[in-house]
Structure formats: C-alpha cells, structure tokens
Amino acid sequence: MKENTIFDMEDGQSFYIADETVQNGIKYYLANKVGENDEPTTETIILMETKEDNDVYFDIVKDEATLNYLGAVFLANVSNYLDEEEA
C-alpha cells in the first residue's frame, strides 16, 4: 500500500492513506475515512500491515498505548513535513 491512495476495507468503507511509518519492523499507516464526496474526512484510523506467506493483511490498531505512540510519530512526521515546506 502506498501513501496518497485510497484503500477499501472489507466492510465497504474507504480510507485515504495519508502517511506511513515502520516501527520495530512493522509497517503502520495513518488513514482518513473518505466521505461521500470522495474527500478525506477528519475520522482517522491506524492500520498495521501483517504479511503471512504471500498474503498481506491490514488490521486496525486498537491498543491505546500503541495508538498514543504512533499518533506521536505521525504528528512528528506532519510537523517535519510542514517545516520542510516553509524552508
């Protein structure tokens, strides 16, 4: 999965992949729910990528400590991006 793409969940919901990070060898994605007008909303989830054999699975991260840690990582990514844009 790549940043700036739309990902469809099994339940039919669509999410925009806004950012990604690798922590301890595990890839995580910050995703915004896509609204009816095909624009990202403020509703966000974090997905964890799991590879098994030749298949790739995505699970919604629900552990509060992991969410807090990854939230800080993604916030730092956005801050760094904004700093680069201003330079």
Side-chain angles (χ1 to χ4, degrees):
M1 187 165 11
K2 295 181 182 182
E3 288 181 48
N4 301 316
T5 60
I6 294 179
F7 173 76
D8 295 318
M9 301 286 282
E10 288 181 355
D11 64 4
Q13 293 186 79
S14 297
F15 287 87
Y16 171 79
I17 306 303
D19 198 2
E20 66 180 69
T21 186
V22 177
Q23 303 293 315
N24 298 317
I26 300 171
K27 191 175 276 192
Y28 295 94
Y29 300 92
L30 177 66
N32 293 79
K33 186 174 183 178
V34 175
E36 293 179 16
N37 59 354
D38 289 333
E39 292 292 323
T41 67
T42 58
E43 184 179 334
T44 61
I45 60 171
I46 296 177
L47 299 168
M48 178 179 71
E49 180 181 276
T50 304
K51 293 182 179 181
E52 188 175 298
D53 298 322
N54 292 329
D55 297 320
V56 178
Y57 301 96
F58 300 96
D59 295 306
I60 297 174
V61 176
K62 295 181 180 176
D63 178 71
E64 188 172 337
T66 304
L67 285 170
N68 288 337
Y69 173 76
L70 292 170
V73 169
F74 286 124
L75 182 60
N77 288 352
V78 169
S79 179
N80 290 337
Y81 174 77
L82 293 174
D83 287 345
E84 290 173 5
E85 287 291 308
E86 291 177 3

